[in-house]
Amino acid sequence: METYLNFMLLRFGVAAGGLVVLALAAFAVALTLKRRGRLDQARRYADPAVKAALRAAARRLENGSTTRRRDGRR
């Protein structure tokens, strides 16, 4: 049991560390774009993709947490 808990703690640490690295990378990219004056251009370019992802997430939430095909089966 202790080995399993150690494994779970290690897995959580790796996941949390990965999220921190991704956040730092996103911050560095945004800072670089801002310094070069291209942040607004990047926002305009990414806006349609973000809106599409939000619409897809909203559709998934409306349909419930289970995934079902159109014929009603899971």
Side-chain angles (χ1 to χ4, degrees), residues 45-64:
Y45 185 72
D47 190 44
V50 171
K51 285 182 180 179
L54 288 175
R55 279 193 302 261
R59 277 195 308 267
R60 274 189 237 121
L61 287 174
E62 286 176 358
N63 293 336

Side-chain angles (χ1 to χ4, degrees), residues 33-46:
L33 287 172
K34 184 173 176 135
R35 285 186 179 176
R36 293 184 181 178
R38 296 187 179 187
L39 185 60
D40 290 332
Q41 181 183 1
R43 282 183 183 164
R44 284 193 303 272
Y45 185 72

Side-chain angles (χ1 to χ4, degrees), residues 6-57:
N6 285 338
F7 174 72
M8 294 301 290
L9 183 62
L10 180 65
R11 193 173 100 178
F12 174 75
V14 169
L19 287 175
V20 167
V21 168
L22 284 175
L24 287 173
F27 178 73
V29 168
L31 188 64
T32 303
L33 287 172
K34 184 173 176 135
R35 285 186 179 176
R36 293 184 181 178
R38 296 187 179 187
L39 185 60
D40 290 332
Q41 181 183 1
R43 282 183 183 164
R44 284 193 303 272
Y45 185 72
D47 190 44
V50 171
K51 285 182 180 179
L54 288 175
R55 279 193 302 261

